[in-house]
Amino acid sequence: MKLIPSRNSQLLTPEIQSVRRRFERWRRNKKHRSPIPEELWASAANLASGYGLAKTARSLRLNYYSLKERIKTGRQKGCRERNADPAFVELIPQPTAAISECTMELEDRSGARMRIHVKGATTPNLTDLSDRFWRMRR
């Protein structure tokens, strides 16, 4: 199979022409219906980021939407890879908690009352206190 250069091939940059020749060489030597190698997809995606998706797809004779999907998944994969092994992690100290304040009033049927007013960063276990109050009243 001999490829006839298109009229527009003179308008292509040397970088696009280089990748185009790699695609043509792969197409000549590929086995029937074999997938495009990842290395070629990566080259095409790299070109598309600089020259545009439509021009790259047309120049390399690729499906526009397939190339677009490759670019999108490549960005997502790149984000995951960067997040998986960070070079620097900034630890931001949490602001100190505001002083908490709580008032709880308990009253049983006989009229016995207990009022708990807690103010400060450490709060007692109010469930324990109320449970003890109810047990004492029995």
Side-chain angles (χ1 to χ4, degrees), residues 24-136:
E24 289 170 358
R25 192 172 27 249
W26 172 78
R27 285 183 178 118
R28 276 193 308 269
N29 300 323
K30 73 174 181 152
K31 293 179 181 167
H32 182 67
R33 308 229 2 120
S34 62
I36 297 173
E38 289 299 318
E39 178 183 304
L40 288 177
W41 275 121
S43 297
N46 189 31
L47 285 177
S49 67
Y51 296 103
L53 188 57
K55 181 177 182 177
T56 303
R58 188 173 44 254
S59 300
L60 301 179
R61 297 184 317 147
L62 294 172
N63 180 283
Y64 174 90
Y65 296 102
S66 297
L67 180 56
K68 183 178 180 180
E69 187 64 30
R70 284 290 176 150
I71 291 169
K72 188 169 74 170
T73 57
R75 285 183 187 145
Q76 291 170 351
K77 188 186 294 185
C79 290
R80 279 195 298 270
E81 289 170 0
R82 278 195 298 271
N83 290 339
D85 191 19
F88 176 79
V89 177
E90 181 180 4
L91 299 176
I92 301 170
Q94 295 295 324
T96 56
I99 297 175
S100 60
E101 189 171 348
C102 175
T103 302
M104 187 165 91
E105 295 181 8
L106 304 172
E107 183 177 350
D108 68 3
R109 290 184 182 173
S110 67
R113 291 183 178 181
M114 180 169 95
R115 182 170 191 244
I116 305 169
H117 182 81
V118 180
K119 186 175 185 178
T122 57
T123 57
N125 187 343
L126 296 178
T127 308
D128 260 356
L129 286 172
S130 60
D131 190 44
R132 288 182 187 191
F133 172 75
W134 294 119
R135 271 195 253 140
M136 284 177 44

Side-chain angles (χ1 to χ4, degrees), residues 12-23:
L12 301 178
T13 66
E15 189 177 18
I16 293 176
Q17 287 178 352
S18 171
V19 175
R20 183 177 176 161
R21 280 192 297 275
R22 288 174 47 209
F23 267 94

